[in-house]
Amino acid sequence: MKRFWISCFVLVVAALPARTQKLQVQDSGREQIVHIRTALDHLTVLEMNGPVSAVAVGSPVFKVEWRENKVFIKPTEENVATNLFVWTASGRFNYELEPAGSVPEMVFAIDQPVPPPVETSMVRIAPKQISPEEVLIGTKTVRLYGSAPDKKRVAVYLNDLFQHDGQLFIHYTIRNDSKKTYTPGTPQVSALTSPRYRDSLYALSNCQLSPSEASRLRSNGEVPVEAARTETPSTRIEPGKEATGIVAVKLPQGRSGPTVLRVTFLAASSGPISATLVM
């Protein structure tokens, strides 16, 4: 029987409401007011989710201090209520400090939840696929302006141009009319600075100047152009044969007026061979 009454007493005590300091989690923003019950000779702590930049309290009856992301509140008198503002990088937070009451009813601490980290993912943007129709429509044929190069030598002919995504693709042919085998190297591309010609260069757009006409060009020098891609013939070109290749270059930024590019191959035994393009 004694054990029965002890068990009943335990059950009654467990069923009584807990009367102790409260721990809260703040889930409000600047549009809400959080009420805080305090007690004399006790601290209430606000733990924000970021450093506190400023604090303002409406009455000196409440001592308020802050360190980093924590605000400490302590009432010094009874029967006084006031308001409290706390600023962090997240914004302003509003509190109503109620008169100091009993310790079991006070708010011991209020924690502001830390926002979950924003999940970021690397988004890979696939390069835009070019349809055959776009290539056919966008391809421009290069015309030869001037007399054809002398025979019995290695010559470069520019065939077609195609512009896409800030790049210029140049399709060329190397014709070996010499008596020796020629092995093409990687082409070097340069842009002429302030090109000048006896005729208007606008009328020569998409033209390759013959060696004799290219010699009449005047400029203030040449600037290398970065090659984005090259596809050069991998085999040697025998006498009387030809091979094709492609070089892609980044178009000069902020260009105005005609652009003159020079595609040069340095591997010829008789000296560099080049092709001059007007755009």
Side-chain angles (χ1 to χ4, degrees):
M1 179 66 66
K2 184 176 181 180
R3 290 182 178 179
F4 172 78
W5 287 112
I6 292 176
S7 300
C8 291
F9 176 77
V10 172
L11 290 174
V12 171
V13 172
L16 291 176
R19 297 181 59 82
T20 183
Q21 296 97 329
K22 298 178 177 61
L23 295 174
Q24 297 183 6
V25 177
Q26 177 182 351
D27 56 358
S28 62
R30 60 182 302 161
E31 71 281 357
Q32 295 181 342
I33 300 176
V34 178
H35 288 258
I36 302 177
R37 295 180 179 179
T38 62
L40 290 176
D41 301 321
H42 285 74
L43 283 176
T44 295
V45 180
L46 307 180
E47 188 161 354
M48 317 302 289
N49 60 17
V52 176
S53 57
V55 168
V57 62
S59 172
V61 170
F62 288 85
K63 295 178 60 177
V64 178
E65 299 179 359
W66 76 90
R67 298 288 187 278
E68 297 179 352
N69 68 322
K70 299 175 181 62
V71 179
F72 307 97
I73 305 169
K74 182 179 180 181
T76 60
E77 298 180 13
E78 296 180 335
N79 303 322
V80 176
T82 189
N83 56 346
L84 170 69
F85 300 100
V86 178
W87 285 269
T88 70
S90 300
R92 186 194 71 236
F93 298 91
N94 316 302
Y95 303 91
E96 176 66 20
L97 304 181
E98 298 185 358
S102 62
V103 173
E105 296 296 330
M106 71 169 290
V107 175
F108 186 74
I110 299 179
D111 295 334
Q112 190 178 54
V114 178
V118 179
E119 295 184 0
T120 58
S121 59
M122 296 297 293
V123 179
R124 295 184 177 181
I125 302 177
K128 179 183 177 182
Q129 298 296 323
I130 307 175
S131 66
E133 291 79 6
E134 289 178 304
V135 175
L136 291 174
I137 295 174
T139 299
K140 299 179 181 179
T141 301
V142 178
R143 298 177 290 113
L144 179 62
Y145 182 79
S147 58
D150 297 334
K151 293 185 177 182
K152 298 183 180 180
R153 62 187 298 270
V154 179
V156 180
Y157 298 93
L158 306 181
N159 304 322
D160 307 291
L161 305 176
F162 178 71
Q163 295 188 40
H164 174 71
D165 198 19
Q167 295 184 2
L168 175 68
F169 294 82
I170 304 174
H171 176 220
Y172 63 86
T173 298
I174 299 178
R175 175 72 184 179
N176 185 8
D177 288 326
S178 68
K179 296 181 180 181
K180 296 181 180 180
T181 301
Y182 175 69
T183 303
T186 302
Q188 307 295 317
V189 183
S190 59
L192 274 62
T193 305
S194 301
R196 300 177 298 277
Y197 187 61
R198 61 181 182 181
D199 298 324
S200 173
L201 290 174
Y202 286 98
L204 300 177
S205 179
N206 300 327
C207 284
Q208 175 185 351
L209 300 182
S210 66
S212 59
E213 297 300 326
S215 65
R216 296 186 173 93
L217 273 173
R218 297 294 180 266
S219 68
N220 295 339
E222 298 184 17
V223 178
V225 177
E226 181 181 357
R229 176 183 173 187
T230 57
E231 291 185 6
T232 57
S234 57
T235 57
R236 300 187 304 172
I237 305 176
E238 300 295 333
K241 302 295 182 179
E242 63 182 30
T244 61
I246 295 176
V247 58
V249 297
K250 295 182 178 180
L251 292 173
Q253 297 293 326
R255 60 194 183 101
S256 60
T259 297
V260 178
L261 300 179
R262 184 159 287 161
V263 183
T264 304
F265 292 82
L266 304 175
S269 58
S270 59
I273 58 174
S274 62
T276 303
L277 172 67
V278 180
M279 295 181 56

